[in-house]
Amino acid sequence: MHISVKTGYAVRALSELALNASEKPISISKICEKQNLPIKYIEQLFRNLKRDGLVKSIHGSKGGYLLNRELNKISLKNIMKAVDDDFSHNFCYGTKEHIDYCKGFPCGFYELWDEIKDHMENYLDSIKLEQIISRL
Amino acid sequence: MHISVKTGYAVRALSELALNASEKPISISKICEKQNLPIKYIEQLFRNLKRDGLVKSIHGSKGGYLLNRELNKISLKNIMKAVDDDFSHNFCYGTKEHIDYCKGFPCGFYELWDEIKDHMENYLDSIKLEQIISRL
DNA sequence: AGATAACATAGTAAATTAGTATGAATTGGC
DNA sequence: GCCAATTCATACTAATTTACTATGTTATCT
């Protein structure tokens, strides 16, 4: 029950993008320089963020990334879901693959785990990038 | 952001204990037989649960485990904290050891992660074993 | 053409997870 | 007193995950 370093990196990188928002894209190397993050790793994360529509990219020299939504339309849930690929399955399963944790699916605890999942997702969805950067 | 199989096992084992509560202790092997859980693994978990005062044990033949608190005094948070040893550190750290995720501690995001941690803990603490078994 | 970017894929060391293996200490019943 | 059933304790392990690095290719600006 913890948030990954990966998610933390993504939040920092996106905050950097948000704080310096303009029409001009910002490069990964610039972001990583400011926030002291591993460039190649963050590149990967941004491809996922792009896939989920949180950012858009501009190729080539003078290229980089831009936010693709308003600050109050990007939630922590969005970020985690983009970056952490197995974010929030029904906990009944434990890991990505069903390891027969509860034989006889759905077991008596299925609803419990589902409720918890929903609560967590809703909570994380209520935390927006806007609110995150407002406190920096 | 997920709940471990370990926690799931602990919940199932404790529920089994709760459903068959009496003055007589129930053995790990009985619990595991009923819930189809790995005995040696559950033994380990129960030592942690005992350490945290959630259960008490009786040695020797005819021995086993008993709940040590009322059903509404055992929360999911209690269980997770007992069983999952690095449950809920400030997310700023990522893993047990500070990997210099945020140099210049506390970084600007520290409060955010702390708030999330608190919210999660409070929520998990509001889910009691009593409520869990009432739906089985 | 050359520099600077994003994009893509594969590899990798360390840690974590979900166990197993082996055995010691304790107690009840015969 | 012995045996079986139990908790208690520690060490090992295979598979997975995590947080990266390496090695490129492709696209765009000057």
Side-chain angles (χ1 to χ4, degrees):
Chain A
M1 175 49 65
H2 63 282
I3 290 179
S4 64
V5 170
K6 207 191 254 180
T7 293
Y9 285 175
V11 168
R12 280 166 64 190
L14 285 174
S15 296
E16 194 61 34
L17 215 51
L19 288 170
N20 301 297
S22 74
E23 330 82 58
K24 288 181 194 164
I26 307 176
S27 68
I28 295 286
S29 52
K30 204 76 168 189
I31 291 169
C32 290
E33 186 192 336
K34 281 223 182 177
Q35 286 283 334
N36 196 258
L37 295 170
I39 296 182
K40 284 295 179 185
Y41 196 46
I42 303 303
E43 275 188 5
Q44 291 171 14
L45 302 193
F46 268 73
R47 265 173 259 140
N48 289 337
L49 294 170
K50 185 186 176 185
R51 182 200 59 207
D52 279 21
L54 305 188
V55 297
K56 57 188 167 192
S57 68
I58 293 175
H59 261 72
S61 185
K62 302 281 173 189
Y65 285 94
L66 289 164
L67 288 179
N68 195 35
R69 292 188 199 166
E70 288 161 53
L71 292 177
N72 62 350
K73 293 272 189 324
I74 296 178
S75 72
L76 201 45
K77 176 188 170 186
N78 299 147
I79 299 171
M80 290 175 69
K81 207 155 198 163
V83 132
D84 234 336
D85 39 66
D86 74 332
F87 165 74
S88 191
H89 39 71
N90 183 298
F91 299 128
C92 221
Y93 292 85
T95 53
K96 253 169 280 190
E97 301 302 313
H98 193 329
I99 60 167
D100 208 11
Y101 160 79
C102 44
K103 39 188 58 187
F105 165 83
C107 72
F109 300 91
Y110 187 84
E111 285 175 26
L112 171 69
W113 305 131
D114 228 37
E115 259 183 49
I116 293 172
K117 186 196 68 167
D118 285 349
H119 176 94
M120 299 296 190
E121 285 200 14
N122 288 337
Y123 173 64
L124 293 170
D125 203 32
S126 76
I127 302 172
K128 314 289 187 185
L129 191 53
E130 183 175 41
Q131 160 191 357
I132 291 173
I133 66 166
S134 73
R135 302 192 295 186
L136 299 179
Chain B
M1 176 47 69
H2 62 281
I3 288 179
S4 64
V5 169
K6 207 191 253 179
T7 293
Y9 285 174
V11 168
R12 280 166 64 190
L14 285 174
S15 296
E16 194 60 36
L17 214 54
L19 289 170
N20 303 295
S22 74
E23 328 82 59
K24 286 180 195 165
I26 306 177
S27 69
I28 296 284
S29 50
K30 204 74 169 193
I31 291 169
C32 290
E33 188 190 336
K34 282 223 183 179
Q35 287 281 335
N36 196 257
L37 295 170
I39 296 182
K40 282 295 178 185
Y41 196 47
I42 303 303
E43 274 187 8
Q44 290 172 15
L45 302 194
F46 268 74
R47 262 171 263 139
N48 288 337
L49 293 170
K50 184 186 177 184
R51 181 201 60 208
D52 279 21
L54 306 188
V55 297
K56 58 188 165 190
S57 68
I58 293 176
H59 261 73
S61 184
K62 304 280 173 186
Y65 284 94
L66 290 163
L67 288 179
N68 196 33
R69 292 188 200 168
E70 288 160 53
L71 292 177
N72 62 349
K73 293 271 188 327
I74 295 180
S75 73
L76 200 45
K77 176 186 168 185
N78 299 148
I79 298 170
M80 290 175 69
K81 207 154 198 163
V83 133
D84 234 337
D85 39 64
D86 74 332
F87 166 75
S88 191
H89 38 72
N90 183 299
F91 300 127
C92 221
Y93 292 86
T95 55
K96 253 170 278 191
E97 301 303 315
H98 194 327
I99 61 169
D100 209 9
Y101 161 80
C102 44
K103 41 189 52 184
F105 165 85
C107 73
F109 300 92
Y110 187 85
E111 284 175 27
L112 171 70
W113 305 130
D114 227 38
E115 259 182 49
I116 293 172
K117 187 195 69 170
D118 285 349
H119 176 94
M120 300 295 190
E121 286 200 12
N122 288 337
Y123 172 64
L124 293 170
D125 203 32
S126 75
I127 302 172
K128 313 291 186 183
L129 191 53
E130 183 175 41
Q131 160 191 358
I132 291 173
I133 65 166
S134 73
R135 302 192 295 184
L136 298 180

